[in-house]
């Protein structure tokens, strides 16, 4: 049976306290379940334990049938690999080992350290294990997922594909593999909106049992049939979609609070009754038996212990102040960068929330970098109005100026006071990471630290490149609330539909290099779903 059963799982990273314990849940055959929770609670770790990469300290689990795994950074951590090396890593374990041996033997033959006998044996074993059938699946997935033809997986480099193409290729392969169980860690990362819509349809049509980690609220609402919540060092299960999860969690919190209050009330009642009976026994020995009975009842009640309290919500307080500027914040005149898109002109006004959207690889991040002055324009000119102060959030949290520095030092450079620095880190849930170096933080922690620095610096123009990609859901919601009250202008590249839904207008760059102005979220989503016929989309206006 293609089910997942997890019982009392516990794990502690080397030299650290338990990350989680008493994690128990089940996923029935054909269910599509999602692990949710704050950054750092252990969602990815659970997938790594289930895939065999990590060893649990306590507990047990069982996965039925063939299991395929996709890690969060698939295709990203080793861009110099070939596509064959990347795809071998997501193969079933026996084929994965055979593929690794074949690749190693081939390299030994080519560098002269082996006469080719090992390679002959390895390639025979690869074929016997079903490697050639797997290669035909690679070819079919590549035809559907990669824009340019892949003729040789053993020579085509991962770096020759965009991040979205790499992710889609692996997802296409896994979701059409027929595997019994799929473990997917943030499958939506690096995907543009059209590809996320494709992913939703693929997941809904997939008959495999799926356990995934995702922070994309729209995707979770559309595909997850069960929500497994990792919080309070354990977990609980919401047997429905994410659309009803927030209400269910609030109800659970209320019930836990009520149960704990009832326990505390009863404990006080039994304790007071015991004290009264003890006083009566002191005055009249005939009450001694009743006093002993009252004490026994109180002791047994306390020994059982109270019910679990409500789980404290992750407290992230983002406060983006901003400041006034001229009405025209930026003027773009016949702007182009290489051959990414045709020259276009536009203006950005104070207070606007402008979303830059379109397929991956069309130049959105390049345009944002040009606005920040980090990328040279191929042609045209960008001018800013008076009193503008620009801050930029980078997509991959690539901050060489932060490398090697502790979080506290990074914040202190901007606040100049230890106590205020610690309070700022606490508001962003980073106080326990104060002495941790930037490069050792998780993706979500890096993102929160970078947003905190933007807040402290007090810019009135924010350029945000995929700001919610690595944020957990609560942190994304805190950022959205802060942007609602931000006195300034926001230009953002994002594929997070929930995040984009609050923006005023959009500029879309198509694969063919055309640039379009779209007046609202609904028009933008229609245009993204059918970019070839954008001229028929109501209110769309081509920028030239």
């Amino acid at each position: 049976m293609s089910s997942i059963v997890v019982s009392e799982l516990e794990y502690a990273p080397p030299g650290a306290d338990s990350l989680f314990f008493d994690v128990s849940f089940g996923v029935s055959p054909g269910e599509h379940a999602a692990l949710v929770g704050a950054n750092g609670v252990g969602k990815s770790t659970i997938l790594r334990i289930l895939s065999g990469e990590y060893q649990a300290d306590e507990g047990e689990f069982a996965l039925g049938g063939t299991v395929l795994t996709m890690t969060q950074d698939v295709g990203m951590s080793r861009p110099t690999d070939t596509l064959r090396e990347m795809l071998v890593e997501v193969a079933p374990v026996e084929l994965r080992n055979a593929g690794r041996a074949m690749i190693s033997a081939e390299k030994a033959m080519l560098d002269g350290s082996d006469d080719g006998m090992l390679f002959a044996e390895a390639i025979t074993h690869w074929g016997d294990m079903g490697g050639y059938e797997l290669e035909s699946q690679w070819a079919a997935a590549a035809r559907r997922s990669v824009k340019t033809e892949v003729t040789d997986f053993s020579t085509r480099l991962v770096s020759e594909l965009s991040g979205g193409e790499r992710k889609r290729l692996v997802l296409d392969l896994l979701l059409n593999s027929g595997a019994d169980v799929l473990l997917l860690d943030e499958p939506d990362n690096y995907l543009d909106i059209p590809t996320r819509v494709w992913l939703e349809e693929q997941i809904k049509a997939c008959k495999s049992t799926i356990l995934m980690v995702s922070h994309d609220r729209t995707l979770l609402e559309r595909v997850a049939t069960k929500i497994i919540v990792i919080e309070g060092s354990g977990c609980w299960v919401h047997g429905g979609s994410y659309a009803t999860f927030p209400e269910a969690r609030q109800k659970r919190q209320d019930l836990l609070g009520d149960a704990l209050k009832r326990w505390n009330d009863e404990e006080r009642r039994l304790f007071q009754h015991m004290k009264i009976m003890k006083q009566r026994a002191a005055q009249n020995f005939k009450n001694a038996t009743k006093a002993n009975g009252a004490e026994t009842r109180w002791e047994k009640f306390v020994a059982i212990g109270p019910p679990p309290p409500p789980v404290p919500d992750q407290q992230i307080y983002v406060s983006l102040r901003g400041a006034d500027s001229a009405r025209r914040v930026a003027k773009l005149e016949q702007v182009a960068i290489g051959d990414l898109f045709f020259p276009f002109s536009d203006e950005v006004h104070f207070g606007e929330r402008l979303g830059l959207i379109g397929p991956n690889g069309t130049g959105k991040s390049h345009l944002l970098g040009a606005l920040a002055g980090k990328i040279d324009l191929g042609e045209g000119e960008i001018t800013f109005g008076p009193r503008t102060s620009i801050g930029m959030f980078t997509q991959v949290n690539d901050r060489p100026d932060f490398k090697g520095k502790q979080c506290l030092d990074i914040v202190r450079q901007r606040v100049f006071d230890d106590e205020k620095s610690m309070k700022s880190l606490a508001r962003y849930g980073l106080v326990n990471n104060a002495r941790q170096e930037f490069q050792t933080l998780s993706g979500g922690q890096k993102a929160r630290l970078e947003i905190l620095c933007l807040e402290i610096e007090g810019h009135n123009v924010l350029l945000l490149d995929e700001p919610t990609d690595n944020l957990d859901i609560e942190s994304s919601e805190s950022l959205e609330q802060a942007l609602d009250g931000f006195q300034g202008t926001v230009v953002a590249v994002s594929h997070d539909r929930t995040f984009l839904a609050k923006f005023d207008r959009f500029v879309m760059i198509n694969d063919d290099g055309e640039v379009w102005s779209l007046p609202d979220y609904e028009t933008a989503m229609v245009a993204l779903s059918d970019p070839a016929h954008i001229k028929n989309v109501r209110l769309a206006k081509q920028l030239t």
Side-chain angles (χ1 to χ4, degrees):
M1 295 292 287
S2 58
S3 60
I4 302 173
V5 179
V6 176
S7 178
E8 298 181 351
L9 214 60
E10 180 174 349
Y11 179 79
D17 295 332
S18 285
L19 185 60
F20 52 77
F21 58 88
D22 194 25
V23 169
S24 303
F25 61 86
V27 184
S28 301
E31 274 193 320
H32 298 159
L35 288 168
V36 303
N39 289 133
V41 296
K43 304 184 294 297
S44 296
T45 300
I46 290 171
L47 293 187
R48 287 173 176 166
I49 291 172
L50 298 183
S51 68
E53 182 182 351
Y54 287 0
Q55 183 73 37
D57 296 321
E58 298 290 344
E60 55 189 23
F61 62 88
L63 287 77
T66 56
V67 180
L68 295 182
T69 303
M70 188 194 75
T71 59
Q72 186 177 131
D73 61 349
V74 64
M76 304 300 167
S77 58
R78 300 190 308 195
T80 57
D81 280 359
T82 64
L83 292 184
R84 180 177 64 176
E85 288 172 313
M86 180 183 78
L87 295 176
V88 157
E89 294 303 312
V90 296
V93 62
E94 297 85 359
L95 263 173
R96 187 188 318 153
N97 293 332
R100 288 172 175 172
M102 177 185 65
I103 293 168
S104 177
E106 183 181 49
K107 289 179 178 178
M109 181 183 66
L110 292 174
D111 66 20
S113 60
D114 181 74
D115 61 3
M117 291 299 294
L118 282 177
F119 179 64
E121 293 175 6
I123 200 168
T124 299
H125 183 56
W126 170 255
D128 291 343
M129 294 297 296
Y132 297 125
E133 290 82 357
L134 181 60
E135 287 180 20
S136 68
Q137 294 177 31
W138 293 354
R143 285 194 294 271
R144 294 187 294 261
S145 306
V146 182
K147 294 176 183 177
T148 56
E149 183 181 2
V150 179
T151 56
D152 190 348
F153 286 86
S154 65
T155 59
R156 185 75 175 268
L157 297 180
V158 169
S159 59
E160 296 175 25
L161 273 59
S162 69
E165 283 181 317
R166 301 172 207 176
K167 205 74 174 276
R168 175 162 177 164
L169 173 58
V170 172
L171 285 167
D172 190 303
L173 182 67
L174 297 187
L175 292 167
N176 291 286
S177 66
D180 296 300
V181 176
L182 297 178
L183 305 175
L184 308 177
D185 195 356
E186 300 207 24
D188 49 277
N189 265 13
Y190 302 103
L191 300 185
D192 54 33
I193 292 175
T195 309
R196 292 188 186 208
V197 173
W198 166 86
L199 174 61
E200 291 167 3
E201 297 304 319
Q202 290 290 306
I203 291 177
K204 285 190 281 190
C206 184
K207 298 187 184 301
S208 304
T209 302
I210 297 176
L211 180 62
M212 62 182 171
V213 173
S214 176
H215 298 143
D216 186 322
R217 289 156 287 179
T218 302
L219 183 140
L220 290 175
E221 288 178 2
R222 294 180 179 178
V223 305
T225 56
K226 175 181 284 186
I227 304 296
I228 300 165
V229 191
I230 310 300
E231 63 180 5
S233 299
C235 82
W236 61 280
V237 176
H238 171 56
S241 82
Y242 188 79
T244 56
F245 164 70
E247 180 182 352
R249 184 179 184 276
Q250 185 57 55
K251 183 176 181 180
R252 180 178 186 272
Q253 290 284 82
D254 293 342
L255 290 173
L256 287 174
D258 290 345
L260 183 60
K261 183 178 182 303
R262 287 195 298 271
W263 188 92
N264 287 328
D265 289 345
E266 180 65 5
E267 188 274 334
R268 283 194 294 269
R269 187 187 70 82
L270 291 174
F271 181 75
Q272 291 298 328
H273 178 66
M274 176 194 69
K275 286 184 65 178
I276 291 171
M277 296 311 298
K278 289 273 188 181
Q279 291 172 356
R280 290 179 180 176
Q283 296 170 357
N284 187 340
F285 72 92
K286 293 182 179 180
N287 291 320
T289 302
K290 292 181 180 180
N292 290 336
E295 185 175 21
T296 299
R297 283 195 299 274
W298 174 74
E299 288 176 344
K300 286 183 177 179
F301 186 82
V302 171
I304 294 172
V311 177
D313 290 329
Q314 180 180 230
Q315 301 296 323
I316 306 294
Y317 298 106
V318 182
S319 178
L320 298 168
R321 299 181 301 279
D324 193 13
S325 72
R327 179 180 180 276
R328 187 169 70 191
V329 170
K331 183 178 182 181
L332 294 77
E333 298 177 273
Q334 292 301 296
V335 168
I337 302 174
D339 58 358
L340 288 171
F341 47 80
F342 295 123
F344 77 98
S345 299
D346 195 9
E347 289 186 358
V348 181
H349 296 147
F350 176 74
E352 277 193 319
R353 276 33 176 178
L354 172 63
L356 300 180
I357 60 173
N360 281 328
T362 55
K364 302 181 300 296
S365 293
H366 286 76
L367 178 56
L368 206 65
L371 285 166
K374 298 179 181 295
I375 293 178
D376 293 332
L377 288 175
E379 56 184 285
E381 184 180 12
I382 297 176
T383 55
F384 289 92
R387 304 190 307 281
T388 54
S389 173
I390 299 169
M392 184 169 181
F393 176 95
T394 58
Q395 180 180 6
V396 291
N397 310 119
D398 182 18
R399 294 294 298 261
D401 54 323
F402 287 0
K403 190 173 182 181
K405 295 180 180 179
Q406 296 180 353
C407 295
L408 178 60
D409 294 333
I410 292 170
V411 175
R412 188 165 45 197
Q413 286 180 336
R414 292 158 173 81
V415 176
F416 310 111
D417 181 275
D418 280 357
E419 184 178 353
K420 290 181 179 178
S421 297
M422 291 297 288
K423 287 181 178 178
S424 296
L425 288 168
R427 287 195 293 108
Y428 278 70
L430 295 169
V431 70
N432 293 331
N433 311 99
R435 295 297 180 183
Q436 193 170 340
E437 291 189 357
F438 177 76
Q439 68 273 14
T440 66
L441 299 173
S442 70
Q445 290 165 341
K446 288 179 180 177
R448 276 185 268 152
L449 180 61
E450 195 166 355
I451 293 168
L452 170 57
C453 289
L454 288 177
E455 173 191 314
I456 295 169
E457 290 162 5
H459 305 290
N460 57 14
V461 179
L462 298 180
L463 306 178
L464 309 178
D465 197 356
E466 298 283 3
T468 63
D469 242 18
N470 289 309
L471 293 180
D472 57 51
I473 292 171
E474 289 182 349
S475 298
S476 294
E477 290 173 345
S478 295
L479 174 60
E480 290 163 7
Q481 291 170 6
L483 291 177
D484 282 344
F486 173 60
Q487 185 185 3
T489 306
V490 179
V491 182
V493 174
S494 179
H495 301 298
D496 183 336
R497 287 157 289 180
T498 308
F499 178 74
L500 288 173
K502 297 186 177 183
F503 275 54
D504 303 323
R505 69 179 183 95
F506 301 86
V507 168
M508 184 171 87
I509 306 176
N510 278 347
D511 278 324
D512 58 11
E514 291 184 335
V515 184
W516 293 82
S517 176
L518 306 168
D520 52 50
Y521 177 76
E522 289 75 17
T523 305
M525 293 303 105
V526 173
L528 282 170
S529 67
D530 194 8
H533 298 90
I534 190 172
K535 293 179 182 178
N536 298 323
V537 177
R538 184 178 62 88
L539 301 179
K541 177 184 177 183
Q542 188 169 7
L543 294 172
T544 56

